[in-house]
Amino acid sequence: MSSSIGAWPPPRSFWTDTLPEKTDSMTRPHLFKGVVPASAANPTAVLDGFAAIRRAHTAGLEITANARVYVGEEERPDLVDTVLSADGWPDDGFPAWMQEQVGAERFSLVLNTLESVSPPLAEGLGELVGSLIDGWGVPAGGAELVAFVGNYSGTAFGVHEGYENAFLTHYGPGTKDFYCWPAEEYRKLTGGSDPLFGDYAWLLEHGEHFALEPGDALFLPERVFHVGRQSEFSVSVAIPLYTFPDAAVVRAWVAPDLLAAVLASEPDTDAGRPSPMQPLTDGPEDLARRLNDVTAAALAAAAEQAQAAAGQHAHQRWYTVLSNGGWQQSENDLARDEAAAAFAAAGFAPGVSVAVRAPYRLMVTGEQVFLRGCETAADPAVLTPGLVERLNTGPTALSDDPQVIAAIRALGATGGLTVTTAPKESE
């Protein structure tokens, strides 16, 4: 089954009505035909993102985005430096160039965190993510762009399970054959949940088949097993929506910060005083007692502070994701760093027009300001609601208020602003 959305980005009714209806309340895969216009995403933009990763590699820059190379189902980390360091490919010659670098006819190149190296893709596919957030909801962990480039006969990960809801967008030029299995059916057919590698042709006839052509988007629900296959070179980009389990968020972020606070043990404090030497003949019982007392006291204190800690984390996570256009936050974001450098180099003064870069948002909550996933202090008297709205909706000429100039300069360091026009020269 497949259908067309008929608009870009998808209207709110798509998320509230069409998607739930076509996917049995987001539990079944569904192919939407001709969804993504070439102006929003295309093979050239993906390869330009790969070129940015190569540029960072040459410059010795540490970035979050990375490339993985596969020949067949074998990951080849030994070839990564080769494809990152080699001279560039000729126009329309990427497949042959890649075949030469890896020494094989069929290959797979996987690019993670592509939104952090490709402003065009972050903006173009950010329109999809933005409409999704407005109509469906916020993925608390943000979204990511993962590109699959090559002429591989099967996804290098084998037939595997996806742990989050995702959209697989396809740009061609070749067609991608995609197969899906509900978790229960996959376990019944294979006897377990492990990925399946090698010759699994027998399994394909039991799967639901989708033929992805350029511009198509496949909704892939969480916990569905799947594999992609193709005979011609093509480019696809998956957009996983990270809705981490609440317990995982607490374990990874909330609890460590909370326990670090209640167990702070600075020198010259009672909590920082070294424990006594333990007599050998006394055994570990006294040590166990003391550790139990500290643990119990810390957990009791943590319980009292849990609501405030959870609220603070949720507030920060919420506005970080929204201000970053829905994308996950990346520590070493090449595109953000380059945008911040370009803003600083442009220079600005009263009369210069600046604007928030799409798809990011400037958001002020109390005395905090968020932009492009970055947080800093804000003076609501300077970053007024009116100024924030003007910056978000289009170019805004700066006033001669030195406090406004200083605030804009600080926001420019996030990479979320762009200079759109220079001041007119006085006659």
Side-chain angles (χ1 to χ4, degrees):
M1 292 291 293
S2 63
S3 59
S4 176
I5 295 175
W8 180 263
R12 197 170 194 275
S13 60
F14 169 77
W15 305 104
T16 57
D17 302 324
T18 305
L19 182 62
E21 176 188 344
K22 298 293 185 182
T23 63
D24 194 12
S25 297
M26 283 75 158
T27 62
R28 291 181 58 85
H30 187 83
L31 179 62
F32 295 93
K33 300 294 294 181
V35 174
V36 185
S39 58
N42 53 68
T44 299
V46 174
L47 293 182
D48 286 347
F50 178 48
I53 295 175
R54 283 165 39 87
R55 185 176 71 248
H57 177 79
T58 300
L61 300 176
E62 183 178 353
I63 63 173
T64 300
N66 64 83
R68 287 176 286 163
V69 178
Y70 297 83
V71 175
E73 294 176 330
E74 180 185 4
E75 184 172 7
R76 293 292 301 274
D78 58 304
L79 292 175
V80 172
D81 186 71
T82 299
V83 301
L84 293 182
S85 303
D87 292 338
W89 53 89
D91 292 343
D92 299 323
F94 180 80
W97 177 89
M98 192 70 182
Q99 290 167 333
E100 180 182 355
Q101 306 312 314
V102 304
E105 181 179 352
R106 309 196 76 168
F107 65 89
S108 173
L109 175 68
V110 179
L111 308 173
N112 283 91
T113 326
L114 201 56
E115 72 280 359
S116 70
V117 293
S118 174
L121 288 176
E123 179 178 353
L125 293 175
E127 292 186 282
L128 176 66
V129 174
S131 70
L132 180 152
I133 288 174
D134 178 64
W136 184 3
V138 180
E144 182 188 3
L145 294 181
V146 184
F148 297 86
V149 180
N151 58 358
Y152 46 91
S153 58
T155 305
F157 315 143
V159 184
H160 62 288
E161 184 177 13
Y163 290 101
E164 57 277 319
N165 292 307
F167 282 88
L168 179 64
T169 60
H170 188 66
Y171 314 127
T175 299
K176 181 188 292 291
D177 292 303
F178 210 81
Y179 300 84
C180 298
W181 298 262
E184 184 178 352
E185 181 181 357
Y186 180 84
R187 296 187 188 102
K188 189 179 298 184
L189 289 167
T190 66
S193 299
D194 292 338
L196 197 62
F197 296 93
D199 183 7
Y200 44 75
W202 64 271
L203 183 64
L204 300 181
E205 63 186 51
H206 299 284
E208 186 174 9
H209 172 245
F210 302 93
L212 277 69
E213 299 174 309
D216 291 353
L218 174 69
F219 173 67
L220 192 61
E222 60 188 4
R223 311 310 298 269
V224 168
F225 286 80
H226 57 271
V227 70
R229 293 166 63 87
Q230 53 204 37
S231 57
E232 300 175 87
F233 174 78
S234 69
V235 177
S236 303
V237 173
I239 310 175
L241 308 172
Y242 293 129
T243 51
F244 305 124
D246 293 342
V249 173
V250 173
R251 182 174 63 249
W253 290 285
V254 181
D257 291 346
L258 182 54
L259 289 175
V262 301
L263 288 170
S265 53
E266 298 296 328
D268 302 322
T269 66
D270 289 342
R273 184 177 300 112
S275 300
M277 295 289 288
Q278 295 297 120
L280 178 63
T281 55
D282 289 353
E285 284 74 16
D286 185 59
L287 175 60
R289 177 189 60 76
R290 293 200 316 275
L291 293 179
N292 174 71
D293 291 346
V294 172
T295 301
L299 293 178
E304 293 180 355
Q305 301 175 34
Q307 183 175 0
Q312 180 181 3
H313 179 86
H315 180 276
Q316 185 176 35
R317 176 178 288 269
W318 182 268
Y319 288 103
T320 295
V321 170
L322 289 181
S323 72
N324 206 32
W327 301 120
Q328 63 178 351
Q329 186 182 33
S330 299
E331 183 176 352
N332 297 303
D333 186 321
L334 177 66
R336 181 177 61 211
D337 292 344
E338 291 184 338
F343 185 83
F348 57 94
V352 168
S353 290
V354 300
V356 172
R357 289 177 174 268
Y360 311 107
R361 301 297 293 173
L362 174 61
M363 311 182 79
V364 177
T365 65
E367 296 185 353
Q368 294 173 294
V369 59
F370 293 83
L371 177 59
R372 198 165 181 167
C374 298
E375 176 188 1
T376 187
D379 183 349
V382 177
L383 289 174
T384 63
L387 176 57
V388 170
E389 182 179 3
R390 291 195 300 275
L391 288 168
N392 278 322
T393 56
T396 299
L398 297 182
S399 70
D400 58 0
D401 186 334
Q403 289 183 304
V404 171
I405 295 293
I408 296 299
R409 180 177 286 110
L411 290 174
T414 70
L417 294 180
T418 182
V419 173
T420 59
T421 59
K424 295 181 179 179
E425 296 183 3
S426 57
E427 296 182 358

